[in-house]
Amino acid sequence: MNDKIIPLDCDDVILLGKDTFKVSRLKELVEKLIRHRLQRRVYESNSLEPGVSMLELFNLISLGEHHIKLSEIQFNYAINCQILRIGSEGWQKGKLNIEVCILSLNPNLNQIYLEFYPEEFIEYDSLLDDICKIIAEN
């Protein structure tokens, strides 16, 4: 990925394969699905009783006698996509980086971050820079 990031508006549209989503809806779906899966119960092999949830399973890690309580779990995923931004002239190809931050103590504060990295970053015309300089001088 290049180092140019395009901020996404909630009403921008993302094309993933054959499916399209508004940015706001995609964030909502990702958060809902992650939360649902982390709340699933893990069954022990020797019991039919449900054990702890996936979130609880990852919440406390034991390293010998030391216990590490995780307050935050992060997932990152990058996928090829196209984006249609408000006011743009068409679809732009690039990569969508999805970062999910799960807070084990308060799952209602989970965060979903979406970043778009275009294949080709469109630089502003130098004429626009010249106009901005003229305006700033006056």
Side-chain angles (χ1 to χ4, degrees):
M1 284 191 277
N2 63 39
D3 57 354
K4 303 291 184 180
I5 300 172
I6 294 181
L8 300 176
D9 186 89
C10 289
D11 290 327
D12 291 337
V13 177
I14 297 175
L15 176 64
L16 298 173
K18 296 179 182 179
D19 300 310
T20 56
F21 305 91
K22 283 177 59 175
V23 167
S24 58
R25 180 68 176 146
L26 181 62
K27 289 173 81 171
E28 179 183 310
L29 288 172
V30 168
E31 199 277 331
K32 180 180 176 184
L33 291 170
I34 294 285
R35 183 186 306 168
H36 176 72
R37 292 197 176 165
L38 287 175
Q39 290 173 345
R40 287 186 179 171
R41 297 285 176 185
V42 178
Y43 286 82
E44 296 293 330
S45 61
N46 57 355
S47 171
L48 295 177
E49 297 296 319
V52 297
S53 71
M54 291 295 292
L55 188 57
E56 292 168 326
L57 183 66
F58 287 109
N59 190 28
L60 187 63
I61 295 177
S62 297
L63 300 171
E65 294 179 8
H66 300 284
H67 300 289
I68 301 171
K69 186 166 177 61
L70 300 177
S71 60
E72 183 176 297
I73 301 170
Q74 290 187 355
F75 301 99
N76 287 307
Y77 182 71
I79 186 170
N80 289 326
C81 73
Q82 293 184 47
I83 187 165
L84 181 61
R85 301 187 67 222
I86 294 176
S88 68
E89 295 181 14
W91 292 95
Q92 186 174 12
K93 292 182 179 182
K95 288 205 179 284
L96 178 67
N97 186 52
I98 302 171
E99 181 180 320
V100 180
C101 181
I102 305 298
L103 301 172
S104 61
L105 300 176
N106 190 348
N108 293 326
L109 297 177
N110 293 341
Q111 295 290 318
I112 309 296
Y113 303 101
L114 301 179
E115 297 175 328
F116 180 71
Y117 296 85
E119 282 182 2
E120 294 181 19
F121 192 77
I122 301 169
E123 295 291 336
Y124 290 106
D125 189 8
S126 62
L127 178 60
L128 183 59
D129 291 335
D130 295 339
I131 293 170
C132 290
K133 286 178 188 177
I134 293 169
I135 293 172
E137 290 173 358
N138 293 332

